[in-house]
Amino acid sequence: MLQVNEILSHYPSNYKQSGIIPMLDLAQQQHGGWIPVAAMDAIAKIVGVAPIRVYEVATFYSMFNRTKVGKYHLLVCGTTPCMIRGSRDIEDALLKHLGVKRNEVTSDGLFSVGEMECMGCCVNAPMIAVADYTKGSDGYTYNYYEDLTPKRVVELVEMLRRGETPPHGTQNPERKNCGPAGGMTTLLGEPKPPPCRDLDAC
Ligand code: FES
């Protein structure tokens, strides 16, 4: 209840319903990655709205899961730039390696693979996000792994299985963040001053 009060303290008391999204997020983290109807009903009661108002929000946003997911929920970006750069191969490699279909959970409960639309990381396509529910809401993380290959994504899964924390961000050792592979190719020296008219020459 402490966390709920903290969330509500951010909004005027006559706009408690603004807390629906952060409360759904909290419920999801506390409940191993998905939100049961009972949690949505409890949120509706807290903010004083009809349960349908909370269902509407939870069903609209794809980051809210309404069925069980793995402790590591792997979200493959399926939008055009990632698709052009091989996201289907990334998803196929994950599904094959884990022996599941999309949105299924592995028998040990550890992994599930979902799909997400553009996560704003197109410059490092293809990419996945990993929602880590292994440590409850206090240790919850949501990290991006970028510039993936089918081989690398399988390596990442195995690192997670061993309880390791793979370095997030680009997985291409030749890139720094979203810079070009192999290093900068432009803006390497001091920029020239802007051209100015030589008034003395007039
Ligand atoms: S298309 Fe995949 S991050 Fe934008």
Side-chain angles (χ1 to χ4, degrees):
M1 203 61 196
L2 268 183
Q3 282 155 299
V4 167
N5 289 340
E6 207 281 320
I7 290 171
L8 289 176
S9 72
H10 294 269
Y11 309 102
S13 55
N14 55 335
Y15 284 105
K16 278 189 190 170
Q17 64 269 37
S18 301
I20 290 176
I21 288 180
M23 275 188 233
L24 283 170
D25 192 35
L26 177 66
Q28 178 161 281
Q29 291 170 25
Q30 290 179 335
H31 196 252
W34 70 286
I35 308 169
V37 173
M40 296 186 227
D41 290 346
I43 292 170
K45 210 173 229 176
I46 291 168
V47 299
V49 296
I52 186 67
R53 295 287 168 224
V54 181
Y55 304 164
E56 283 167 350
V57 177
T59 53
F60 180 79
Y61 292 105
S62 55
M63 75 276 273
F64 293 131
N65 307 309
R66 284 166 295 110
T67 52
K68 220 170 183 315
V69 296
K71 286 187 187 321
Y72 296 102
H73 188 41
L74 317 174
L75 292 154
V76 182
C77 174
T79 308
T80 315
C82 281
M83 196 185 72
I84 290 170
R85 297 272 298 154
S87 64
R88 294 269 156 80
D89 297 337
I90 301 297
E91 187 185 35
D92 286 349
L94 282 173
L95 298 179
K96 189 164 168 231
H97 183 69
L98 295 169
V100 288
K101 297 198 184 86
R102 190 190 282 176
N103 296 324
E104 251 179 26
V105 184
T106 53
S107 53
D108 57 6
L110 215 48
F111 294 100
S112 53
V113 181
E115 200 216 3
M116 191 75 108
E117 295 314 319
C118 180
M119 290 183 259
C121 199
C122 326
V123 72
N124 291 67
M127 58 81 67
I128 65 168
V130 176
D132 177 352
Y133 299 103
T134 55
K135 301 176 198 79
S137 66
D138 290 338
Y140 171 71
T141 58
Y142 186 86
N143 285 322
Y144 284 9
Y145 296 88
E146 306 151 5
D147 293 311
L148 290 170
T149 60
K151 180 170 174 277
R152 182 60 185 159
V153 84
V154 168
E155 286 170 5
L156 292 174
V157 164
E158 288 309 307
M159 289 168 89
L160 293 170
R161 194 193 298 281
R162 291 193 295 270
E164 296 169 19
T165 311
H168 49 84
T170 180
Q171 303 297 306
N172 178 348
E174 292 193 9
R175 291 189 82 177
K176 186 161 184 249
N177 302 326
C178 55
M184 303 265 283
T185 55
T186 57
L187 301 176
L188 297 173
E190 279 297 305
K192 281 193 207 150
C196 293
R197 203 169 145 202
D198 183 357
L199 293 175
D200 291 339
C202 296

